[in-house]
Amino acid sequence: MNFFMKIFFSTVLIAAVTFSGGSFLLIDFQFRSALSREVTAAYEENDIIRYSINHELETIKDNRASVYSPKLVTDSEEMRKQFIWQVAQSVTINTSKGTIPFRLNNNLYETIFTSSKIGINNNILKEISENNRGYEIIQYDSQYYIHAAGPIAVQNETMYLENFHDITFLFKSRAEQYRIFYYLILAIIGLSGLIMFMVSHWLTKPLSNLSKATKQIADGNFDQRITIKTQDEFGKLSEDFNTMAIKLEQMVEELKDASHRQEDFVGSFAHELKTPLTSMIGYADMLRSKKMETEQIIISSNYIFEEGKRLEALSMKLMDMIVLKKQDLTMKPVDAQAFFNAIQGVMLPVLEKENIEFIVNVEDAILNIEPDLMKTVCINLLDNARKAIDDGGKITFTGKWDLENYLITTQDTGKGMEESELSKITEAFYMVDKSRSRARGGAGLGLAISSEIIKLHGAEMKFQSALRKGTCVVIYLKGAEKFDKN
């Protein structure tokens, strides 16, 4: 049974039981109160009959003293009973309900006189004493009576007087009240059921919304939120649910972001390996296939060693930057001439193999950079320039001062690109010519990584390009210092 039905049935049941119990107690209280009044009335009728009998006896005694002498009473018990019967018969008490029926009994509980047609025993007389009175509720011919009894002194003898007080109307009234109550309780149950159905629906609706939202989140829709309409416990629960959903969505996004960063790292690292590996393979091939002088062998071997060490350091730095999102780079002062020469040594074998003229011009300066990462940027730009040239062509790689900034420029005579492409080329995995880039080893990650590295240096990178005229990329470095030859 769901929560809605539990609230509905329990509330209806409570309402029915409470109303039934309260109504029953009220009807019972009213009945008992009325019965108590009728008992008092029955006792009062008993007192009136007793008074009337005694009064009648006194009157006869005064008027017929000779007849009522003790000697006469003693001499004839039968005449005495006859006398008492005549006295009782002369007593008639009328009320709004009619004549009050009564019985007169001697001390042996034998009936001397009765004006009642109610044929019941007088066992009640055995339960009362000469100094108190009592009553019982009896039913006779579908009628209900209060059977009251009490002692009465007649001619120095204790006798017992019984009277019957009709209370049928009390039982009929109670029966009518019960009948009305039964119909009323059915109406109350129906009405309360309807009201509680609506109230239960209103109360459990937030829970239904929470359940639906929870299922949506379980299906992967983490943007689900609950509209808060109240400030009660359900409103607080909805607010807590929204907070949980927000944090859960953030955690999922962080997990996705971490996964993407790991994928980016793998792709980026593979991308960064291509050009240096090509240079290393080129130098190794020269050492293997050509007879070279000792100095040239040392230079070639040194390029292979330096590039191997750089790739080792680069892998850790890329992981810190992409996977771990570390933003604290350690900048080092680097001689611009040595920096450009190192890049020239890496790129030269690749470019010569593709018949591309490589021109390097450098103005002296001390660059404040992270050398491995900035070298990665420059190699990326030069490699992109290489890929943009079909057969032959020229790449110019220069470093020069422009007021307070040091400019690193890469310019090629390749295919170029449309102006609309310039704003997108630093997006991850974006390639201007996808088929061409993949054919030449591109993954669309180089400029995205380069752009991040440039930001970490506090520098700026700008692009200029025209179709069939080539592309020019300028890096504006800050913090460089003039080279002091002294």
Side-chain angles (χ1 to χ4, degrees), residues 370-390:
E370 205 298 315
D372 291 326
L373 292 179
M374 187 56 69
K375 190 174 183 181
T376 297
V377 173
C378 294
I379 291 176
N380 268 326
L381 296 176
L382 292 170
D383 194 49
N384 288 338
R386 174 186 67 84
K387 294 172 184 176
I389 299 173
D390 286 332

Side-chain angles (χ1 to χ4, degrees), residues 172-203:
K172 288 184 177 180
S173 176
R174 186 176 68 171
E176 180 65 17
Q177 287 177 337
Y178 278 136
R179 186 180 67 83
I180 296 174
F181 162 71
Y182 293 142
Y183 288 119
L184 187 59
I185 191 64
L186 291 176
I188 291 296
I189 291 175
L191 181 62
S192 63
L194 178 62
I195 294 174
M196 286 314 304
F197 181 85
M198 294 185 293
V199 172
S200 299
H201 177 74
W202 174 65
L203 288 175

Side-chain angles (χ1 to χ4, degrees), residues 462-475:
K462 294 184 179 181
F463 296 84
Q464 293 179 347
S465 184
L467 284 174
R468 293 177 295 277
K469 292 184 178 180
T471 301
C472 177
V473 184
V474 182
I475 299 173

Side-chain angles (χ1 to χ4, degrees), residues 82-274:
Q82 183 67 25
F83 171 71
I84 295 174
W85 183 88
Q86 290 176 351
V87 171
Q89 188 181 31
S90 65
V91 174
T92 302
I93 307 298
N94 295 315
T95 65
S96 60
K97 297 180 181 179
T99 302
I100 302 174
F102 67 94
R103 285 191 311 205
L104 191 60
N105 305 272
N106 61 18
N107 56 3
L108 298 176
Y109 312 123
E110 295 173 347
T111 301
I112 297 175
F113 172 82
T114 179
S115 64
S116 173
K117 296 180 180 180
I118 302 173
I120 64 169
N121 58 52
N122 56 3
N123 292 335
I124 188 175
L125 301 179
K126 300 176 182 179
E127 299 177 5
I128 63 176
S129 67
E130 297 180 355
N131 298 319
N132 61 15
R133 56 189 177 181
Y135 78 95
E136 63 180 351
I137 306 297
I138 63 172
Q139 182 181 7
Y140 184 79
D141 285 344
S142 303
Q143 300 291 105
Y144 291 89
Y145 300 91
I146 295 175
H147 179 202
I152 179 174
V154 178
Q155 292 185 337
N156 300 321
E157 178 186 354
T158 299
M159 304 184 77
Y160 296 95
L161 177 64
E162 301 173 87
N163 65 299
F164 300 90
H165 183 74
D166 191 355
I167 57 171
T168 304
F169 74 95
L170 279 182
F171 286 88
K172 288 184 177 180
S173 176
R174 186 176 68 171
E176 180 65 17
Q177 287 177 337
Y178 278 136
R179 186 180 67 83
I180 296 174
F181 162 71
Y182 293 142
Y183 288 119
L184 187 59
I185 191 64
L186 291 176
I188 291 296
I189 291 175
L191 181 62
S192 63
L194 178 62
I195 294 174
M196 286 314 304
F197 181 85
M198 294 185 293
V199 172
S200 299
H201 177 74
W202 174 65
L203 288 175
T204 58
K205 188 176 181 180
L207 294 179
S208 299
N209 293 337
L210 282 171
S211 178
K212 292 178 182 178
T214 303
K215 290 179 181 178
Q216 290 293 321
I217 288 179
D219 291 336
N221 300 322
F222 298 102
D223 59 344
Q224 292 296 312
R225 299 293 182 272
I226 302 297
T227 302
I228 301 175
K229 298 181 179 180
T230 61
Q231 298 300 320
D232 56 9
E233 288 79 359
F234 287 117
K236 180 62 176 175
L237 180 61
S238 299
E239 184 179 348
D240 293 340
F241 176 88
N242 289 341
T243 301
M244 179 201 70
I246 291 172
K247 291 183 178 180
L248 184 61
E249 185 177 18
Q250 291 174 347
M251 291 174 61
V252 171
E253 290 300 322
E254 289 174 359
L255 289 174
K256 288 181 179 179
D257 187 51
S259 176
H260 288 322
R261 289 200 301 269
Q262 292 175 357
E263 292 175 0
D264 290 349
F265 169 72
V266 173
S268 301
F269 187 60
H271 179 276
E272 299 309 320
L273 282 176
K274 289 188 175 296

Side-chain angles (χ1 to χ4, degrees), residues 6-154:
K6 288 180 180 179
I7 291 180
F8 175 73
F9 283 117
S10 61
T11 308
V12 172
L13 180 62
I14 291 172
V17 171
T18 303
F19 181 78
S20 300
S23 300
F24 176 81
L25 292 175
L26 180 61
I27 294 173
D28 185 68
F29 174 78
Q30 290 177 340
F31 177 79
R32 291 182 182 277
S33 297
L35 181 61
S36 178
R37 291 193 298 269
E38 295 302 320
V39 169
T40 301
Y43 282 146
E44 290 176 351
E45 291 174 357
N46 189 278
D47 291 338
I48 292 172
I49 296 171
R50 180 186 300 107
Y51 173 80
S52 298
I53 292 174
N54 289 329
H55 178 72
E56 190 69 21
L57 286 172
E58 290 295 328
T59 302
I60 293 173
K61 180 180 178 181
D62 292 339
N63 294 335
R64 300 171 62 186
S66 60
V67 178
Y68 197 75
S69 64
K71 185 176 183 302
L72 178 62
V73 174
T74 305
D75 291 343
S76 177
E77 182 63 28
E78 187 64 31
M79 290 181 66
R80 179 174 173 274
K81 289 183 179 180
Q82 183 67 25
F83 171 71
I84 295 174
W85 183 88
Q86 290 176 351
V87 171
Q89 188 181 31
S90 65
V91 174
T92 302
I93 307 298
N94 295 315
T95 65
S96 60
K97 297 180 181 179
T99 302
I100 302 174
F102 67 94
R103 285 191 311 205
L104 191 60
N105 305 272
N106 61 18
N107 56 3
L108 298 176
Y109 312 123
E110 295 173 347
T111 301
I112 297 175
F113 172 82
T114 179
S115 64
S116 173
K117 296 180 180 180
I118 302 173
I120 64 169
N121 58 52
N122 56 3
N123 292 335
I124 188 175
L125 301 179
K126 300 176 182 179
E127 299 177 5
I128 63 176
S129 67
E130 297 180 355
N131 298 319
N132 61 15
R133 56 189 177 181
Y135 78 95
E136 63 180 351
I137 306 297
I138 63 172
Q139 182 181 7
Y140 184 79
D141 285 344
S142 303
Q143 300 291 105
Y144 291 89
Y145 300 91
I146 295 175
H147 179 202
I152 179 174
V154 178

Side-chain angles (χ1 to χ4, degrees), residues 276 279-280 283 296-310 340-349 375:
S279 300
M280 293 168 68
Y283 281 115
Q296 192 66 31
I297 292 174
I298 293 173
I299 293 174
S300 298
S301 300
N302 186 63
Y303 272 122
I304 295 173
F305 176 79
E306 291 295 333
E307 283 303 295
K309 294 294 290 181
R310 188 181 73 83
F340 274 73
N341 288 341
I343 295 173
Q344 182 181 17
V346 172
M347 295 300 301
L348 193 58
K375 190 174 183 181

